[in-house]
Amino acid sequence: MTRQLAGHLLVECLAAQGATHAFGVPGESYLAVLDGFHTYADRIRFVVCRQEGGAAFMAEAHGKLTRRPGICFVTRGPGATNASIGLHTAFQDSTPMVLLVGDVGSDFRDREAFQEVDFQSFFGPSTKGMAKRVERIDEAARIPEYVARAFATAMAGRPGPVVLVLPEDMLREEVEAAPLPRVEPVEAWSDPGSLRRLRELLLASQKPLVIAGGSGWTPQSAQALQRFAENWQLPVANAFRFQDTFDNHHPQYAGDVGIGINPKLAARVRESDLVIAIGPRLGEMTTGGYTLLEAPKPKQTLVHIHGGAEELNRVYLADLAINATMDAAARSLEVLTAPPTVPWADWTAAAHADYEDNIRPQKLPGLDESQPGAVDMPAIVATLQKHLPADAVLTNGAGNFASWIHRYFRHHGIAKGHKTQLAPTSGAMGYGVPAGIAASIATGRVAFTIAGDGDFLMNGQELATAVQYGGKSIIVLLDNGMFGTIRMHQERDYPERISGTALRNPDFCALARAYGYAAERVESAADFEPALLRALAAETGTLIHIPLSPEVITTRGTLSGITQAALQRLS
């Protein structure tokens, strides 16, 4: 065991825990760590980002993809507060992540020194906070202990983010210590009594429904979930922005439960006599604002299976609460003995038929035959379905534009071997671009991002990061010159009184080219396919700019114009 700088030891400990990438913006508060990345460059790659929010989103996306904590480094004060958006996303999305914050030296602490923040108070761990744990490392020799605990905490139960605060003077100390062994997440298994009770509830049911989602799914657990559903002929819906949990092509798939839910699926959730929620925490979006399942006691019999014991019976009082991680739960469920026949076979078939019907573009009653503008968005999504490889990673931020992908694109699912959807259940704008770049850099798979104009401009600067590290994301930028979701609500509540939602945008193609991306403008669905094929074959990332008529917007889960007459007809 040799002596080395504490900053070097910290990097070695991260590598020992299996971290392959760290995302961040450099700061003088952790120069010793940056020097450590130089020493251990063959074991872990430090990706220099352009803004801490983008770096934190990249780390969160990496955590989603790998199920190991995504790593983000930022400096004190401004750096940490900028990164808080990614930390909050990791918290609400139950994504394992470790945010490491360079801090003021111990000799300056508690004097409101330059950029000093009380991180314990700011990120404070709680059920409503931004982190599962916030710790400050004051003794360099204990770095291995703190890093191992951070990884264990981030992956335990309901996964989430952990913050480690690093005093500048501590990182410069010389220390003789060795990394601890790699920490693996602890599995929580379903107890036999609960499984017997679940079987009894299934046998007594007439209209059961599975809602699957949340974090922690592996290909093996997703395959086990599929076998459980097949054994019992159960309809399966995916939770909000976890649409890759169950294969969307499967004949028992019922659709996604979230924003813009298929009205027939919403009715089916309400009509169900048994809801088996496997993995999701049953938040506001998945429950339709706590109306599809009424809080605190749903009308439906509720079985809630979750890896975090603290989540069970927190919002919903379940008839049967099972504390189990997804690998353990799914493997227990797949061996649950099913009867030769079940009374809900037609219910399951009808649920899938409703889903198939919903992904066929339909004319809305009272609206014009063609949607406003020349761009047929359902046709564009069909082109994506045709040409993107099955293991492509699809990313998006928050905005009206995301509904096109959510409604019409069909994920093959984690059971096929890969996670393919990265999207913020927290509703954070600006997520899609850095998430796609992180996916491309870390996996080498095709990374496709759909973004709105307002959404893109929040983290478009990370195209420079992509070019620097060989990232090749494909970005389709839908440009309607406004914050579309807010305009939709504004048109509904304050018609013809536009305020604060209009955008004057740059030349997006010129901007992308300035960063080193290829770029082209597409104004019709017919021109999109060759543009996409060029992007897939390009040696660099590509931005495809698609101007949309301001009349094209999503409202109440259906695709329509925002003309006042249309809104009145949809009300």
Coordinates of all heavy atoms in Angstrom, one line a residue, residues 43-123:
R43 N -8.6 3.5 -16.3 CA -9.6 2.8 -15.6 C -10.9 3.5 -15.6 O -12.0 2.9 -15.5 CB -9.2 2.5 -14.2 CG -7.9 1.6 -14.1 CD -7.5 1.3 -12.7 NE -8.6 0.6 -11.9 CZ -8.5 0.4 -10.6 NH1 -7.4 0.8 -9.9 NH2 -9.5 -0.2 -10.0
I44 N -10.9 4.8 -15.6 CA -12.2 5.6 -15.6 C -12.0 6.9 -16.4 O -10.9 7.5 -16.3 CB -12.5 5.9 -14.1 CG1 -13.8 6.7 -14.0 CG2 -11.4 6.6 -13.4 CD1 -14.4 6.8 -12.6
R45 N -13.0 7.2 -17.1 CA -12.9 8.4 -18.1 C -13.7 9.5 -17.5 O -14.8 9.4 -17.1 CB -13.5 8.0 -19.4 CG -13.3 9.0 -20.5 CD -13.9 8.5 -21.8 NE -13.5 9.1 -23.0 CZ -14.0 9.0 -24.2 NH1 -15.0 8.2 -24.4 NH2 -13.5 9.7 -25.2
F46 N -13.0 10.7 -17.4 CA -13.7 11.9 -16.9 C -14.1 12.7 -18.2 O -13.3 13.1 -19.0 CB -12.7 12.8 -16.1 CG -13.4 14.0 -15.6 CD1 -14.4 13.9 -14.7 CD2 -13.0 15.3 -16.0 CE1 -15.0 15.0 -14.1 CE2 -13.6 16.4 -15.4 CZ -14.6 16.3 -14.5
V47 N -15.5 12.8 -18.3 CA -16.1 13.5 -19.4 C -16.3 15.0 -19.0 O -17.2 15.2 -18.1 CB -17.4 12.8 -19.9 CG1 -18.0 13.6 -21.0 CG2 -17.1 11.4 -20.3
V48 N -15.6 15.9 -19.6 CA -15.8 17.3 -19.3 C -17.0 17.9 -20.0 O -17.1 17.9 -21.2 CB -14.5 18.1 -19.7 CG1 -14.7 19.6 -19.3 CG2 -13.3 17.5 -19.1
C49 N -18.0 18.3 -19.2 CA -19.2 18.9 -19.8 C -19.1 20.4 -19.8 O -18.2 21.0 -19.3 CB -20.4 18.4 -19.0 SG -20.5 16.6 -18.9
R50 N -20.2 21.0 -20.3 CA -20.2 22.5 -20.5 C -21.0 23.2 -19.4 O -20.8 24.4 -19.2 CB -20.7 22.9 -21.9 CG -19.9 22.3 -23.0 CD -18.4 22.6 -22.8 NE -17.6 22.2 -24.0 CZ -17.0 21.0 -24.1 NH1 -17.0 20.1 -23.2 NH2 -16.3 20.7 -25.2
Q51 N -21.9 22.5 -18.7 CA -22.6 23.1 -17.7 C -23.0 22.0 -16.7 O -23.3 20.9 -17.1 CB -23.9 23.8 -18.2 CG -24.5 24.9 -17.4 CD -25.6 24.4 -16.5 OE1 -26.0 23.3 -16.5 NE2 -26.3 25.4 -15.8
E52 N -23.1 22.3 -15.4 CA -23.3 21.3 -14.4 C -24.6 20.6 -14.5 O -24.8 19.4 -14.2 CB -23.1 21.8 -13.0 CG -21.7 22.3 -12.7 CD -21.4 23.7 -13.1 OE1 -22.3 24.4 -13.7 OE2 -20.3 24.2 -12.8
G53 N -25.7 21.3 -15.0 CA -26.9 20.6 -15.2 C -26.8 19.5 -16.3 O -27.4 18.5 -16.1
G54 N -26.1 19.8 -17.4 CA -25.9 18.8 -18.4 C -25.1 17.7 -17.9 O -25.4 16.5 -18.2
A55 N -24.1 17.9 -17.1 CA -23.3 16.9 -16.5 C -24.1 16.0 -15.6 O -23.9 14.7 -15.6 CB -22.1 17.5 -15.7
A56 N -24.9 16.6 -14.8 CA -25.7 15.8 -13.8 C -26.8 14.9 -14.6 O -27.0 13.8 -14.2 CB -26.4 16.7 -12.8
F57 N -27.3 15.5 -15.7 CA -28.2 14.7 -16.5 C -27.5 13.5 -17.1 O -28.0 12.4 -17.2 CB -28.9 15.5 -17.6 CG -30.0 16.4 -17.1 CD1 -30.3 17.6 -17.7 CD2 -30.9 15.9 -16.1 CE1 -31.4 18.4 -17.3 CE2 -32.0 16.7 -15.7 CZ -32.2 17.9 -16.3
M58 N -26.3 13.7 -17.6 CA -25.5 12.6 -18.2 C -25.2 11.5 -17.1 O -25.4 10.3 -17.4 CB -24.2 13.2 -18.7 CG -24.3 14.0 -20.0 SD -22.7 14.3 -20.7 CE -23.2 15.7 -21.9
A59 N -24.9 11.9 -15.9 CA -24.6 11.0 -14.9 C -25.9 10.2 -14.5 O -25.9 9.0 -14.3 CB -24.1 11.6 -13.6
E60 N -27.0 10.9 -14.5 CA -28.3 10.2 -14.2 C -28.7 9.2 -15.3 O -29.1 8.1 -15.0 CB -29.4 11.3 -14.1 CG -30.7 10.8 -13.4 CD -31.6 10.1 -14.3 OE1 -31.4 10.2 -15.6 OE2 -32.6 9.4 -13.8
A61 N -28.5 9.6 -16.6 CA -28.7 8.7 -17.7 C -27.8 7.5 -17.6 O -28.3 6.4 -17.9 CB -28.5 9.5 -19.0
H62 N -26.6 7.7 -17.3 CA -25.6 6.6 -17.1 C -26.1 5.6 -16.0 O -26.0 4.4 -16.2 CB -24.2 7.1 -16.8 CG -23.1 6.1 -17.1 ND1 -22.5 5.4 -16.1 CD2 -22.5 5.7 -18.2 CE1 -21.6 4.6 -16.6 NE2 -21.6 4.8 -17.9
G63 N -26.6 6.2 -14.9 CA -27.1 5.3 -13.9 C -28.3 4.5 -14.3 O -28.5 3.4 -14.0
K64 N -29.2 5.1 -15.1 CA -30.4 4.4 -15.6 C -29.9 3.2 -16.5 O -30.5 2.1 -16.5 CB -31.2 5.3 -16.5 CG -32.3 6.1 -15.7 CD -33.3 6.7 -16.7 CE -34.5 7.4 -15.9 NZ -34.2 8.8 -15.5
L65 N -28.9 3.5 -17.4 CA -28.5 2.5 -18.3 C -27.8 1.3 -17.7 O -27.9 0.2 -18.1 CB -27.5 3.1 -19.4 CG -28.2 4.0 -20.5 CD1 -27.1 4.7 -21.3 CD2 -29.0 3.1 -21.4
T66 N -26.9 1.6 -16.6 CA -26.1 0.6 -16.1 C -26.6 0.0 -14.8 O -26.1 -1.1 -14.3 CB -24.7 1.2 -15.8 OG1 -24.8 2.2 -14.8 CG2 -24.1 1.7 -17.0
R67 N -27.6 0.7 -14.1 CA -28.1 0.3 -12.8 C -27.0 0.4 -11.7 O -27.2 -0.1 -10.6 CB -28.7 -1.2 -12.8 CG -29.8 -1.3 -13.8 CD -30.4 -2.7 -13.8 NE -29.4 -3.7 -14.1 CZ -28.9 -4.1 -15.3 NH1 -29.4 -3.5 -16.4 NH2 -28.0 -5.0 -15.4
R68 N -25.9 1.0 -12.0 CA -24.9 1.3 -11.1 C -24.9 2.8 -10.9 O -25.3 3.5 -11.9 CB -23.5 0.9 -11.5 CG -23.3 -0.6 -11.8 CD -23.2 -1.4 -10.5 NE -22.0 -1.1 -9.7 CZ -21.7 -1.7 -8.5 NH1 -22.5 -2.6 -8.0 NH2 -20.6 -1.3 -7.9
P69 N -24.4 3.4 -9.8 CA -24.5 4.8 -9.7 C -23.8 5.6 -10.8 O -22.6 5.4 -11.1 CB -23.8 5.1 -8.3 CG -24.1 3.8 -7.6 CD -24.0 2.7 -8.6
G70 N -24.5 6.6 -11.4 CA -23.9 7.5 -12.3 C -23.0 8.5 -11.5 O -23.5 8.9 -10.4
I71 N -21.9 8.9 -12.0 CA -20.9 9.7 -11.2 C -20.9 11.1 -11.8 O -20.7 11.3 -13.0 CB -19.5 9.1 -11.2 CG1 -19.6 7.7 -10.7 CG2 -18.6 9.9 -10.4 CD1 -20.1 7.5 -9.3
C72 N -21.0 12.1 -11.0 CA -21.0 13.5 -11.4 C -20.1 14.3 -10.4 O -20.2 14.2 -9.2 CB -22.4 14.1 -11.5 SG -22.4 15.8 -12.0
F73 N -19.2 15.1 -11.0 CA -18.3 16.0 -10.2 C -18.6 17.4 -10.5 O -18.6 17.8 -11.7 CB -16.8 15.7 -10.5 CG -16.2 14.6 -9.7 CD1 -16.2 13.3 -10.2 CD2 -15.6 14.8 -8.5 CE1 -15.7 12.2 -9.4 CE2 -15.0 13.8 -7.7 CZ -15.1 12.5 -8.2
V74 N -18.8 18.2 -9.4 CA -19.0 19.6 -9.6 C -18.3 20.4 -8.5 O -17.9 19.8 -7.5 CB -20.5 20.0 -9.6 CG1 -21.2 19.4 -10.8 CG2 -21.2 19.6 -8.3
T75 N -18.1 21.6 -8.6 CA -17.5 22.4 -7.6 C -18.6 23.0 -6.7 O -19.8 22.8 -6.9 CB -16.6 23.6 -8.2 OG1 -15.8 24.1 -7.2 CG2 -17.5 24.7 -8.8
R76 N -18.2 23.7 -5.7 CA -19.1 24.2 -4.6 C -20.1 25.2 -5.2 O -20.1 25.5 -6.4 CB -18.2 24.9 -3.5 CG -17.3 25.9 -4.1 CD -16.1 26.2 -3.3 NE -15.2 27.1 -3.9 CZ -13.9 27.2 -3.6 NH1 -13.3 26.3 -2.8 NH2 -13.1 28.1 -4.2
G77 N -21.0 25.7 -4.3 CA -21.9 26.8 -4.6 C -22.6 26.7 -6.0 O -23.5 25.9 -6.2
P78 N -22.2 27.6 -7.0 CA -22.8 27.6 -8.3 C -22.8 26.3 -9.0 O -23.8 25.9 -9.6 CB -22.0 28.6 -9.0 CG -21.4 29.5 -8.0 CD -21.1 28.6 -6.8
G79 N -21.7 25.5 -8.9 CA -21.7 24.2 -9.5 C -22.7 23.3 -9.0 O -23.4 22.6 -9.7
A80 N -22.7 23.2 -7.6 CA -23.7 22.3 -7.0 C -25.1 22.6 -7.2 O -26.0 21.8 -7.4 CB -23.4 22.2 -5.5
T81 N -25.4 23.9 -7.2 CA -26.8 24.3 -7.4 C -27.2 24.1 -8.8 O -28.4 23.7 -9.1 CB -27.0 25.8 -7.0 OG1 -26.0 26.6 -7.7 CG2 -26.9 26.0 -5.5
N82 N -26.3 24.3 -9.8 CA -26.6 24.0 -11.2 C -26.9 22.5 -11.3 O -27.8 22.1 -12.1 CB -25.5 24.4 -12.1 CG -25.4 25.8 -12.5 OD1 -26.4 26.5 -12.3 ND2 -24.3 26.3 -13.0
A83 N -26.2 21.7 -10.6 CA -26.3 20.2 -10.7 C -27.6 19.7 -10.1 O -27.9 18.5 -10.3 CB -25.1 19.5 -10.2
S84 N -28.2 20.5 -9.3 CA -29.4 20.0 -8.5 C -30.5 19.5 -9.3 O -31.2 18.6 -8.9 CB -29.9 21.1 -7.5 OG -30.4 22.2 -8.2
I85 N -30.6 20.0 -10.6 CA -31.7 19.6 -11.4 C -31.5 18.1 -11.8 O -32.5 17.3 -11.8 CB -31.8 20.4 -12.7 CG1 -33.1 20.0 -13.5 CG2 -30.5 20.3 -13.6 CD1 -33.3 20.9 -14.7
G86 N -30.3 17.7 -12.0 CA -30.0 16.2 -12.3 C -30.2 15.4 -11.0 O -30.7 14.2 -11.1
L87 N -29.9 16.0 -9.9 CA -30.0 15.2 -8.6 C -31.5 15.0 -8.3 O -31.9 13.9 -7.9 CB -29.3 16.0 -7.5 CG -29.0 15.2 -6.3 CD1 -27.8 14.3 -6.6 CD2 -28.7 16.1 -5.1
H88 N -32.3 16.1 -8.5 CA -33.7 15.9 -8.3 C -34.4 14.9 -9.3 O -35.2 14.1 -8.9 CB -34.4 17.3 -8.5 CG -35.9 17.3 -8.3 ND1 -36.8 17.3 -9.3 CD2 -36.6 17.2 -7.1 CE1 -38.0 17.3 -8.8 NE2 -38.0 17.2 -7.5
T89 N -33.9 14.9 -10.5 CA -34.4 13.9 -11.5 C -34.0 12.5 -11.0 O -34.9 11.6 -11.1 CB -33.8 14.2 -12.9 OG1 -34.2 15.5 -13.3 CG2 -34.2 13.1 -13.9
A90 N -32.8 12.3 -10.6 CA -32.4 11.0 -10.1 C -33.2 10.6 -8.9 O -33.6 9.4 -8.7 CB -30.9 11.0 -9.7
F91 N -33.6 11.5 -8.0 CA -34.4 11.2 -6.8 C -35.8 10.8 -7.3 O -36.3 9.7 -6.9 CB -34.5 12.4 -5.9 CG -35.1 12.1 -4.6 CD1 -34.3 11.7 -3.5 CD2 -36.5 12.2 -4.4 CE1 -34.8 11.4 -2.3 CE2 -37.0 12.0 -3.1 CZ -36.2 11.6 -2.1
Q92 N -36.5 11.6 -8.1 CA -37.8 11.2 -8.5 C -37.9 10.0 -9.4 O -38.9 9.3 -9.4 CB -38.5 12.5 -9.2 CG -38.8 13.6 -8.2 CD -40.2 14.2 -8.4 OE1 -40.7 14.3 -9.5 NE2 -40.8 14.7 -7.4
D93 N -36.8 9.8 -10.2 CA -36.8 8.7 -11.1 C -36.2 7.4 -10.5 O -36.2 6.4 -11.1 CB -36.0 9.0 -12.4 CG -36.7 10.0 -13.3 OD1 -37.3 10.9 -12.7 OD2 -36.6 9.8 -14.5
S94 N -35.8 7.5 -9.2 CA -35.2 6.3 -8.5 C -34.0 5.8 -9.2 O -33.9 4.6 -9.5 CB -36.3 5.2 -8.3 OG -37.4 5.7 -7.6
T95 N -33.1 6.7 -9.6 CA -31.9 6.3 -10.3 C -30.7 6.4 -9.4 O -30.5 7.4 -8.7 CB -31.7 7.3 -11.5 OG1 -32.8 7.3 -12.3 CG2 -30.4 6.9 -12.3
P96 N -29.9 5.3 -9.4 CA -28.7 5.4 -8.5 C -27.7 6.4 -9.1 O -27.4 6.4 -10.3 CB -28.1 4.0 -8.6 CG -28.6 3.4 -9.9 CD -30.0 4.1 -10.1
M97 N -27.1 7.3 -8.2 CA -26.2 8.3 -8.7 C -25.4 8.8 -7.5 O -25.9 8.7 -6.3 CB -27.1 9.5 -9.2 CG -26.3 10.7 -9.7 SD -27.4 12.0 -10.4 CE -26.3 13.4 -10.5
V98 N -24.2 9.2 -7.7 CA -23.4 9.8 -6.7 C -22.9 11.2 -7.2 O -22.2 11.2 -8.2 CB -22.2 9.0 -6.3 CG1 -21.3 9.7 -5.2 CG2 -22.7 7.6 -5.7
L99 N -23.3 12.3 -6.5 CA -22.8 13.6 -6.8 C -21.7 14.0 -5.9 O -21.9 13.9 -4.7 CB -23.9 14.6 -6.7 CG -23.5 16.1 -6.9 CD1 -23.1 16.3 -8.4 CD2 -24.7 17.0 -6.5
L100 N -20.5 14.3 -6.4 CA -19.4 14.6 -5.6 C -19.1 16.1 -5.8 O -18.9 16.6 -6.9 CB -18.1 13.8 -6.0 CG -18.4 12.3 -5.8 CD1 -18.5 11.6 -7.1 CD2 -17.3 11.6 -4.9
V101 N -19.1 16.8 -4.6 CA -19.0 18.3 -4.7 C -17.7 18.8 -4.0 O -17.5 18.5 -2.8 CB -20.2 18.9 -3.9 CG1 -20.2 20.4 -4.0 CG2 -21.5 18.4 -4.5
G102 N -16.8 19.4 -4.8 CA -15.7 20.1 -4.2 C -16.1 21.2 -3.3 O -17.0 22.0 -3.7
D103 N -15.6 21.3 -2.1 CA -16.1 22.3 -1.1 C -14.9 23.2 -0.6 O -13.8 22.9 -0.9 CB -16.7 21.6 0.1 CG -17.6 22.5 0.9 OD1 -18.0 23.6 0.4 OD2 -17.9 22.1 2.0
V104 N -15.3 24.2 0.1 CA -14.3 25.1 0.7 C -13.5 24.3 1.7 O -13.9 23.3 2.2 CB -15.0 26.3 1.5 CG1 -15.9 27.1 0.5 CG2 -15.9 25.8 2.6
G105 N -12.3 24.8 1.9 CA -11.4 24.1 2.9 C -12.0 24.1 4.3 O -12.8 25.0 4.7
S106 N -11.5 23.2 5.1 CA -12.0 23.1 6.4 C -11.7 24.3 7.3 O -12.5 24.7 8.2 CB -11.4 21.8 7.1 OG -11.7 20.7 6.4
D107 N -10.6 25.0 7.0 CA -10.2 26.1 7.8 C -11.1 27.4 7.5 O -11.1 28.3 8.2 CB -8.8 26.5 7.6 CG -8.4 26.6 6.1 OD1 -9.2 26.1 5.2 OD2 -7.3 27.1 5.8
F108 N -11.9 27.3 6.4 CA -12.8 28.4 6.0 C -14.2 28.1 6.3 O -15.1 28.9 6.1 CB -12.6 28.8 4.5 CG -11.3 29.4 4.2 CD1 -11.0 29.7 2.8 CD2 -10.4 29.8 5.1 CE1 -9.8 30.3 2.5 CE2 -9.2 30.4 4.8 CZ -8.9 30.7 3.5
R109 N -14.5 26.9 6.7 CA -15.9 26.4 6.8 C -16.7 27.3 7.8 O -16.2 27.8 8.8 CB -15.9 25.0 7.2 CG -17.2 24.3 7.3 CD -17.1 22.9 7.7 NE -18.4 22.2 7.8 CZ -18.6 21.0 8.3 NH1 -17.6 20.3 8.7 NH2 -19.8 20.5 8.4
D110 N -18.0 27.5 7.5 CA -18.9 28.1 8.4 C -18.7 29.6 8.5 O -19.1 30.3 9.5 CB -19.0 27.5 9.8 CG -19.4 26.0 9.7 OD1 -20.2 25.7 8.8 OD2 -19.0 25.2 10.5
R111 N -18.0 30.2 7.5 CA -17.8 31.7 7.6 C -18.4 32.4 6.4 O -18.2 33.5 6.1 CB -16.3 32.0 7.5 CG -15.5 31.6 8.7 CD -14.0 31.9 8.6 NE -13.3 31.6 9.8 CZ -11.9 31.6 9.9 NH1 -11.2 31.9 8.8 NH2 -11.3 31.3 11.0
E112 N -19.3 31.6 5.7 CA -19.8 32.0 4.4 C -18.7 32.4 3.5 O -18.6 33.5 2.9 CB -20.8 33.2 4.5 CG -21.7 33.4 3.2 CD -22.6 34.6 3.3 OE1 -22.9 35.1 4.4 OE2 -23.1 34.9 2.2
A113 N -17.8 31.5 3.3 CA -16.6 31.7 2.5 C -17.0 31.7 1.0 O -18.2 31.5 0.7 CB -15.6 30.5 2.7
F114 N -16.1 31.9 0.1 CA -16.4 32.1 -1.3 C -17.1 30.8 -1.8 O -16.6 29.7 -1.7 CB -15.1 32.2 -2.1 CG -15.2 32.4 -3.5 CD1 -15.9 33.5 -4.1 CD2 -14.6 31.5 -4.4 CE1 -16.0 33.6 -5.5 CE2 -14.7 31.6 -5.8 CZ -15.4 32.7 -6.3
Q115 N -18.4 31.0 -2.3 CA -19.2 30.0 -2.9 C -19.6 28.9 -1.9 O -20.0 27.8 -2.2 CB -18.5 29.3 -4.1 CG -18.2 30.3 -5.2 CD -17.6 29.7 -6.4 OE1 -17.0 28.6 -6.3 NE2 -17.7 30.3 -7.6
E116 N -19.6 29.2 -0.6 CA -19.9 28.2 0.4 C -21.4 28.0 0.5 O -22.2 28.9 0.4 CB -19.4 28.6 1.8 CG -19.6 27.5 2.9 CD -19.1 27.9 4.2 OE1 -18.7 29.1 4.4 OE2 -19.1 27.0 5.1
V117 N -21.8 26.7 0.6 CA -23.2 26.4 0.8 C -23.3 25.3 1.8 O -22.4 24.4 1.9 CB -23.8 25.8 -0.6 CG1 -25.2 25.2 -0.3 CG2 -23.9 27.0 -1.6
D118 N -24.3 25.3 2.7 CA -24.6 24.2 3.6 C -25.3 23.1 2.8 O -26.5 23.1 2.7 CB -25.5 24.7 4.7 CG -25.8 23.6 5.8 OD1 -25.5 22.5 5.5 OD2 -26.3 24.0 6.9
F119 N -24.5 22.1 2.4 CA -25.1 21.1 1.5 C -26.0 20.2 2.2 O -26.9 19.6 1.6 CB -23.9 20.4 0.8 CG -23.1 21.2 -0.1 CD1 -21.8 21.5 0.1 CD2 -23.7 21.7 -1.3 CE1 -21.1 22.3 -0.7 CE2 -23.0 22.5 -2.2 CZ -21.7 22.8 -1.9
Q120 N -25.8 19.9 3.5 CA -26.7 19.1 4.2 C -28.1 19.7 4.2 O -29.1 18.9 4.0 CB -26.2 18.9 5.7 CG -27.0 17.9 6.5 CD -26.7 16.5 6.1 OE1 -25.6 16.1 5.8 NE2 -27.8 15.7 6.1
S121 N -28.2 21.0 4.4 CA -29.5 21.6 4.3 C -30.1 21.7 2.9 O -31.3 21.5 2.7 CB -29.4 23.0 4.9 OG -29.0 23.0 6.3
F122 N -29.2 22.0 2.0 CA -29.7 22.2 0.6 C -30.1 20.9 0.0 O -31.2 20.9 -0.7 CB -28.5 22.8 -0.2 CG -28.9 23.2 -1.6 CD1 -29.8 24.2 -1.9 CD2 -28.4 22.4 -2.7 CE1 -30.1 24.5 -3.2 CE2 -28.8 22.7 -4.0 CZ -29.7 23.8 -4.3
F123 N -29.4 19.9 0.1 CA -29.7 18.6 -0.5 C -30.5 17.7 0.5 O -30.8 16.5 0.1 CB -28.5 17.9 -1.1 CG -27.8 18.5 -2.2 CD1 -26.5 18.9 -2.2 CD2 -28.5 18.8 -3.4 CE1 -25.9 19.5 -3.2 CE2 -27.9 19.5 -4.4 CZ -26.6 19.8 -4.4

